[in-house]
Amino acid sequence: MTTSDELDRGTSPEHFERLKENMERVDQLSQKLVEIMANRKGHHPGLDGPNQELFARAATSYWSEILQNPAKLMEQQVEYWGKSVLNFAEAQSVLAGEGEEGSEKATPQDRRFGNPMWDNNPYFHFVKQQYLINSEAIRSAVSQVDDLEAIDRHRLRYFSDQIINMMAPTNFLPTNPDALEKALETEGQSLIDGMQNLVDDLEANNGELVVRLADESAFEIGGNIATSAGEVVFRNRMMEIIQYHPTTETVHETPIVLFPPWINKFYILDLKAQNSLIKWVTEQGYTLFVVSWINPNSDYADVGMEEYIEEGFLTAIDKAKDICKVKQVNAIGYCIAGTTLSLTLALMKKRGDKSVKSATLFTALTDFSDQGDFTPFLQNDFVDAIVEEIGDDGVLPSYIMARTFSYLRANDLVYGPAIRSYMLGETPPAFDLLYWNGDGANLPGKMAVEYLRGLCQRNEFAEGGFELFGELLNLKDVDIPLMAVTCETDHIAPWMNCYKGVQQMGGRSKTFIVSQSGHIAGIVNPPSRNKYGHYTNSDLKGTPEAWMEGASFNEGSWWPRWESWLKKRSGKQVPARKPGDSNNPVLEAAPGSYVRIRATD
């Protein structure tokens, strides 16, 4: 917080002169900002919110309630007016020296309002309290809209919360004490740095605002992240296959083929040696193959789920079998790759292909009957906008998906970083996980629409069958030994929904685990950290709630439990294998070339 001495220095003529000069530099940068925005391509407006029908239905429902029960509206309004008038009266009293500063302290803990000035300064205290009063009034009004379908109520709550978060006083310079203090302390340099950060972010994404979460200059793929030793032993238009060097003298006969999601890069599982699942797996004595997907451009417009399965999953499995001279592999699929691995296993069942001995799914949805936090984005108006956005280019840009995920946690992943970067002029932190999070991938248009329409919206894999390669694929066709690892606080693939999908699979040997933490931290949870535990229960017959009620809690990572399960399905020990063979020569060192392709390249 700024001290009185600093304020005295800050009000000197010399200080104001330097502040004025810096404000002129801010104005120059703002001109650059205008130029960038003038050349911005833009995106379909339907991706910014629901169509007007939702708000029209909500307004009609609310108006109908008013006509039927006007006393209820008056009660709400009087309460709102009363709180607003009392808040104003308190501010006036404090300004007149008659009241106690920050008298209303019993507000919920909110990191946005950590600066003492939110309580001690009458102006900022008034602004904060009025924002909280307004937020409560909006949420109360939305909760009173009853005459809507459950999905519409969910969407109305979500988008009204987005408006509330967007209008927080912390998001605006005149009502953000941290930013104002920093501007005075630095004589406006923080605003110059912030404007430069904004210009840089817009230029990096062709005029679209995607807030950088990490200092990209601090990381080098293959330098200080994704450093596990391995070789690219195969490449086609869809993927590179990396075979990692063994770290033991002998290995299990059956190799592992790991399929990461193609929405992000594979190195989430190899950020650094201390938490690398890839490194840990090789240390347990396994031959490990990992797929590194291409970051597609417009040339991939007609690539769909069939191409990912045929040229990706099936090809990788065949290559691993060929190189290791075995008939079967153990397969792993993470997130959307776990969903697609399940489709692949159902297809292989139809074809009588027994190349996969066991499967492990990491946070993989296969039953989409409950759309959870993604409900607002999986309705026809939003998906229709995605289809139009794909348009002639045939590719869904990575920032669309990144933005969707980020706004599920808007204050942490959008507004908080934006304030630090653009208002305070700070350099984003050198955080490897956030660097990976910002290194997204585009999606082929055909694949994205198939996934959104057939799996997410119509839930065909769980209800009636999802058609690929002329076959109708069902969850019950997945009948090989399987372990599903889910995460307790995962908002992308909620564990309860994953559980429902595993329940419907046809195998007799099914193991289900719920790790503590979320979509990433619950999976990237090395035993050495001893941070997050996990839940186990062999009874998969009941509801998700019954499963958790009967589950046992286990301290520490699930990795050793999974490895004990896996080694029973991995055969005898054989001499450790060097990457590649005469038919599949080494092409280049890991992490390969595809992982270095940026979405904007």
Side-chain angles (χ1 to χ4, degrees):
M1 183 176 177
T2 305
T3 66
S4 58
D5 288 341
E6 288 171 331
L7 285 174
D8 289 340
R9 290 195 302 270
T11 56
S12 68
E14 296 82 1
H15 172 87
F16 272 113
E17 189 61 34
R18 288 191 294 270
L19 186 61
K20 181 180 177 182
E21 291 174 0
N22 281 337
M23 290 303 96
E24 291 176 356
R25 292 175 60 192
V26 169
D27 185 61
Q28 292 171 4
L29 281 170
S30 69
Q31 296 302 315
K32 180 72 176 293
L33 184 64
V34 170
E35 292 175 13
I36 294 171
M37 298 306 292
N39 295 318
R40 171 176 171 264
K41 177 183 176 182
H43 58 261
H44 193 282
L47 297 174
D48 294 328
N51 63 27
Q52 296 305 308
E53 291 180 10
L54 173 63
F55 296 118
R57 288 195 297 272
T60 300
S61 175
Y62 194 68
W63 182 250
S64 176
E65 178 67 18
I66 291 172
L67 294 177
Q68 295 178 27
N69 190 2
K72 187 175 183 180
L73 173 67
M74 289 304 300
E75 181 182 353
Q76 292 172 348
Q77 287 298 304
V78 169
E79 181 182 8
Y80 173 70
W81 295 341
K83 289 181 178 180
S84 297
V85 170
L86 287 175
N87 185 38
F88 179 72
E90 180 189 346
Q92 290 288 87
S93 177
V94 172
L95 287 171
E98 300 172 356
E100 181 181 348
E101 291 184 358
S103 60
E104 190 171 340
K105 302 275 188 175
T107 54
Q109 291 295 321
D110 191 326
R111 287 180 297 176
R112 292 177 298 178
F113 303 117
N115 190 308
M117 292 183 72
W118 288 114
D119 288 320
N120 299 334
N121 181 287
Y123 166 69
F124 289 112
H125 182 70
F126 170 77
V127 169
K128 180 190 76 170
Q129 291 303 129
Q130 194 59 46
Y131 168 71
L132 295 175
I133 291 168
N134 294 344
S135 300
E136 181 183 353
I138 293 172
R139 290 193 175 103
S140 177
V142 168
S143 70
Q144 301 301 318
V145 179
D146 294 327
D147 190 22
L148 286 178
E149 297 290 333
I151 288 177
D152 284 342
R153 286 201 303 272
H154 186 138
R155 300 185 85 201
L156 187 62
R157 285 195 301 271
Y158 171 82
F159 288 111
S160 62
D161 278 344
Q162 291 301 317
I163 294 171
I164 290 170
N165 290 333
M166 180 179 65
M167 297 307 296
T170 46
N171 295 336
F172 302 91
L173 180 63
T175 51
N176 186 318
D178 293 309
L180 291 171
E181 286 183 319
K182 186 72 173 290
L184 287 178
E185 290 168 7
T186 63
E187 298 173 336
Q189 185 62 45
S190 60
L191 299 181
I192 294 173
D193 295 340
M195 185 67 77
Q196 187 62 60
N197 288 341
L198 176 59
V199 168
D200 291 345
D201 285 358
L202 287 168
E203 285 185 326
N205 294 281
N206 300 317
E208 290 291 343
L209 182 55
V210 180
V211 184
R212 274 184 304 144
L213 300 180
D215 180 4
E216 296 180 0
S217 65
F219 300 101
E220 180 187 358
I221 296 175
N224 56 358
I225 51 175
T227 59
S228 290
E231 310 289 343
V232 176
V233 295
F234 177 80
R235 178 185 294 126
N236 64 13
R237 67 169 183 154
M238 296 299 298
M239 64 177 176
E240 291 178 334
I241 300 176
I242 301 170
Q243 182 180 355
Y244 284 88
H245 285 287
T247 58
T248 54
E249 292 186 1
T250 63
V251 294
H252 289 280
E253 182 178 32
T254 305
I256 297 172
V257 184
L258 191 159
F259 298 96
W262 52 87
I263 294 174
N264 295 99
K265 305 292 182 65
F266 80 87
Y267 63 86
I268 184 59
L269 300 173
D270 191 34
L271 283 176
K272 52 192 171 189
Q274 301 94 305
N275 63 0
S276 171
L277 178 65
I278 286 173
K279 181 175 182 291
W280 187 85
V281 166
T282 61
E283 291 173 344
Q284 310 314 304
Y286 293 89
T287 302
L288 176 63
F289 296 86
V290 175
V291 166
S292 175
W293 299 102
I294 189 69
N295 200 336
N297 56 27
S298 58
D299 294 338
Y300 290 77
D302 294 328
V303 166
M305 297 295 291
E306 289 188 351
E307 284 74 22
Y308 272 93
I309 290 175
E310 188 70 54
E311 300 177 47
F313 286 77
L314 294 177
T315 298
I317 291 168
D318 285 343
K319 286 296 176 182
K321 286 166 49 183
D322 185 31
I323 291 172
C324 294
K325 308 298 187 290
V326 294
K327 294 183 179 180
Q328 288 185 306
V329 305
N330 291 313
I332 304 172
Y334 193 170
C335 192
I336 188 175
T339 306
T340 311
L341 174 59
S342 301
L343 289 168
T344 304
L345 295 174
L347 176 66
M348 296 172 81
K349 170 71 173 180
K350 296 281 190 181
R351 293 178 173 179
D353 186 343
K354 299 181 179 181
S355 296
V356 178
K357 195 172 186 178
S358 77
T360 303
L361 305 179
F362 295 163
T363 63
L365 287 169
T366 50
D367 182 337
F368 293 83
S369 55
D370 183 351
Q371 297 171 348
D373 284 0
F374 285 93
T375 298
F377 305 106
L378 292 177
Q379 307 316 306
N380 279 331
D381 56 353
F382 196 81
V383 177
D384 288 346
I386 286 178
V387 172
E388 292 191 38
E389 175 67 24
I390 290 168
D392 295 335
D393 290 341
V395 170
L396 181 62
S398 67
Y399 77 84
I400 298 293
M401 293 296 294
R403 190 179 65 165
T404 300
F405 287 122
S406 293
Y407 273 98
L408 294 176
R409 298 291 183 269
N411 287 328
D412 292 331
L413 296 177
V414 180
Y415 298 119
I419 290 168
R420 291 189 292 272
S421 185
Y422 307 147
M423 287 192 196
L424 301 178
E426 297 176 358
T427 300
F431 188 7
D432 55 5
L433 178 60
L434 292 180
Y435 174 83
W436 167 85
N437 188 72
D439 188 16
N442 303 319
L443 297 180
K446 181 179 178 181
M447 172 265 139
V449 173
E450 288 176 338
Y451 179 79
L452 292 170
R453 295 289 196 202
L455 293 173
C456 297
Q457 285 193 311
R458 297 195 291 266
N459 196 26
E460 291 174 349
F461 194 26
E463 301 175 7
F466 187 73
E467 186 173 352
L468 289 173
F469 301 99
E471 301 280 2
L472 205 59
L473 307 180
N474 291 276
L475 270 174
K476 63 181 177 61
D477 297 324
V478 182
D479 62 356
I480 65 171
L482 178 133
M483 176 179 282
V485 184
T486 63
C487 301
E488 187 177 16
T489 58
D490 191 341
H491 65 285
I492 295 173
W495 76 265
M496 290 185 176
N497 300 347
C498 297
Y499 176 86
K500 294 174 184 177
V502 171
Q503 269 190 317
Q504 297 173 66
M505 293 179 180
R508 294 182 179 180
S509 176
K510 295 186 288 189
T511 302
F512 192 81
I513 291 175
V514 176
S515 173
Q516 288 184 308
S517 197
H519 192 72
I520 301 300
I523 298 300
V524 184
N525 181 25
S528 59
R529 295 180 64 187
N530 196 30
K531 188 172 184 180
Y532 300 120
H534 59 283
Y535 299 89
T536 55
N537 185 350
S538 59
D539 184 3
L540 303 181
K541 296 183 179 66
T543 63
E545 294 82 1
W547 184 93
M548 183 57 78
E549 185 177 349
S552 300
F553 178 73
N554 307 272
E555 295 285 349
S557 172
W558 56 267
W559 290 12
R561 183 179 298 275
W562 168 64
E563 195 275 325
S564 295
W565 175 89
L566 187 67
K567 69 182 179 183
K568 297 173 184 177
R569 296 160 176 83
S570 298
K572 63 184 180 181
Q573 293 287 308
V574 299
R577 304 167 172 119
K578 294 181 180 180
D581 64 7
S582 57
N583 295 323
N584 301 278
V586 168
L587 302 178
E588 66 174 302
S593 298
Y594 282 4
V595 72
R596 293 184 167 92
I597 301 174
R598 305 283 293 188
T600 53
D601 287 350

